[in-house]
Structure formats: structure tokens, C-alpha cells
Amino acid sequence: MLADLDEAPPGAVIILHACAHNPTGIDPTQEQWTELANLLEKKKLFPLFDSAYQGFASGDPDRDAWAVRYFVQRGFELFTCQSFAKNFGLYCERAGNLTVVQKHGATKAAVHSQMTLLIRGQYSNPPAYGARIVSKVLNTPELRKEWMQSIQTMSSRIREMRKALRDKLVALGTPGNWDHIVNQIGMFSYTGLNESQVRVLINDFHIYLLRTGRINMCGLNTGNIEYVAKAIHAAVTGAGATASCPCDNKL
């Protein structure tokens, strides 16, 4: 990633996921974020943070906002696109905001003018209902506390399912190292399954995932975790009806 960014021309906009990276589930550590900030600063690159899962990674919205706040502290000008569709369950409302961080107030009017032109041409007036729900929750102490508890419950359940899947694959003796399932974070995981193994899961076991092996961990629960683990084991070992080769999972 650093090597690729080092090739970017000055002024290029670099999209970075603030937390719970989609689709890989692999987030930089704080030390790696520091390395990224150093490179972006040196190369004069412009960060655009996509914050779609704040709170769904660690269960703590403040911890999940660390990277954005660190870049601001470093003095970067940047954009942050924040969505409340997931962490407030407002998928149909698509509520969110765009935060613009500038070094100098003198550029505020110009930025506001350009944003207004874009908004007017694309959607003019966004629906207010979802945004009002978010505002009500975040500005009402008892509701904010309940929301914080809810996302802690959600993120904890995802981590429990990650551990359960890894443990069951290990117990089955499934070839490969499956630690990446618990080392990744958030809603999504790159399982390491190849395209032929994914076909086995779909055709033989009716477990549907992308051919890249990327799955949504929220689909796992205590009622299906064993079935999914045994299906992955069958796909990896060639035990499925359409399996044609043993596992080449190197993750």
C-alpha cells in the first residue's frame, strides 16, 4: 500500500476507510496509520476518509475515529464522509454527513459554494427524517447511552462469531491457518477461499458469498456456525460434490 501511494501524483485524493475496512476486514494499526500520514504529508496527497462503520469495529465509536482525529491533529486538510446507515440501522434513509477540515477560514466560502453547486445538481434537498433520528439520539444522554450499548453488543457478537468459526475450523482439522478470521475486524472477512471452493459452498451447501471469498460475518449465528464451518471444511478438503482440488489457502 505504501509503495502504491508513493507512486501517486501530488494532490491526488486518497480514499481511506476509517475503520472496519470493507471488503477485507483489515485495518491499519495506529503505528501503520502514522506511516500512512507521513507518506501522504510528504507526497502532498489529500485524504478522504470513508467512515461507514464507526463503532462496528471495536465497539467504541471514539476508538474507531482514531485515524481521522489523528490526521486532523497532524494538520491535514481532509474530507470525511460519515454514514449512519449501518451503525444506526438507517439503511433506507441513507443518513450521513460530509465533514470538511480546512487549515484556513478564508477558503470556507469557496468550498461551500462548490459543495452547493454539486448538491443542487445531484439531489437538491436530502431527506431529513433519518438525520433527525441521529441528531435526537446523539443529543439525548439516555438515548446516546443506549445506542452505545447497542453497537457494543453488535460488535461483540461479530467478534464472537469470528472466534467461533475459527475455533470450529481448527477443531475440524481444516487445512490452512485460519487466524486471519479473528485478526480481521468489522462486518466483513476475506476467508482465503479460492473461486472453486466458493463454488462448492454455493452449489453444494447454499452458502452464498462473493467469488473472492469475501463474506459478511453478520450472517453467522449460533444456529448455523457449525454448518458453515463443516461446509468450508468440505470445500477446502475437496469433500464437496463439485470440489475439484484440495485447498490452496495460504492465509
Side-chain angles (χ1 to χ4, degrees):
M1 182 177 181
L2 288 172
D4 283 342
L5 291 178
D6 197 43
E7 297 296 321
V13 178
I14 308 301
I15 300 176
L16 301 165
H17 279 202
C19 66
H21 187 271
N22 179 8
T24 66
I26 301 171
D27 285 359
T29 63
Q30 291 185 4
E31 292 75 16
Q32 290 169 336
W33 276 121
T34 301
E35 288 187 73
L36 286 166
N38 292 339
L39 180 60
L40 266 65
E41 188 175 58
K42 181 185 74 172
K43 296 287 293 185
K44 294 181 171 56
L45 304 175
F46 188 89
L48 189 158
F49 281 96
D50 180 357
S51 181
Y53 304 98
Q54 187 176 354
F56 269 17
S58 67
D60 180 355
D62 289 316
R63 182 175 176 182
D64 288 354
W66 186 89
V68 178
R69 294 173 181 176
Y70 173 72
F71 272 66
V72 172
Q73 179 189 342
R74 285 277 297 260
F76 280 88
E77 291 188 309
L78 55 83
F79 289 173
T80 298
C81 305
Q82 186 174 22
S83 169
F84 299 113
K86 286 83 175 177
N87 56 11
F88 274 86
L90 294 170
Y91 282 89
C92 294
E93 297 298 326
R94 309 306 291 178
N97 62 57
L98 172 66
T99 301
V100 180
V101 178
Q102 302 163 246
K103 288 183 179 179
H104 308 292
T107 57
K108 178 182 176 181
V111 171
H112 185 269
S113 174
Q114 292 300 308
M115 292 297 176
T116 301
L117 288 171
L118 290 170
I119 289 168
R120 181 63 177 169
Q122 290 189 23
Y123 56 85
S124 188
N125 291 291
Y129 183 65
R132 287 172 179 163
I133 291 174
V134 174
S135 178
K136 179 72 171 178
V137 171
L138 292 181
N139 289 291
T140 307
E142 59 269 28
L143 294 179
R144 184 187 182 101
K145 181 180 179 181
E146 183 180 350
W147 174 71
M148 295 278 282
Q149 292 170 342
S150 295
I151 58 174
Q152 178 65 52
T153 298
M154 285 292 297
S155 61
S156 296
R157 195 194 77 81
I158 294 171
R159 289 195 296 272
E160 288 170 5
M161 289 301 99
R162 285 182 177 275
K163 183 177 184 301
L165 181 59
R166 191 277 307 270
D167 290 351
K168 288 186 180 295
L169 289 171
V170 171
L172 289 168
T174 310
N177 184 337
W178 299 96
D179 288 345
H180 58 282
I181 293 177
V182 293
N183 291 335
Q184 295 166 2
I185 196 168
M187 296 171 63
F188 303 104
S189 175
Y190 264 13
T191 58
L193 299 173
N194 61 35
E195 192 169 344
S196 64
Q197 293 159 355
V198 168
R199 282 198 300 270
V200 172
L201 291 180
I202 294 173
N203 296 333
D204 293 3
F205 299 97
H206 301 285
I207 296 172
Y208 300 97
L209 65 163
L210 299 183
R211 60 185 179 184
T212 58
R214 179 263 212 180
I215 63 171
N216 188 335
M217 299 302 296
C218 296
L220 297 176
N221 57 58
T222 54
N224 65 20
I225 191 77
E226 187 167 354
Y227 178 84
V228 172
K230 288 181 177 179
I232 292 175
H233 179 81
V236 166
T237 58
T242 60
S244 59
C245 62
C247 174
D248 63 356
N249 170 27
K250 300 296 194 299
L251 290 178

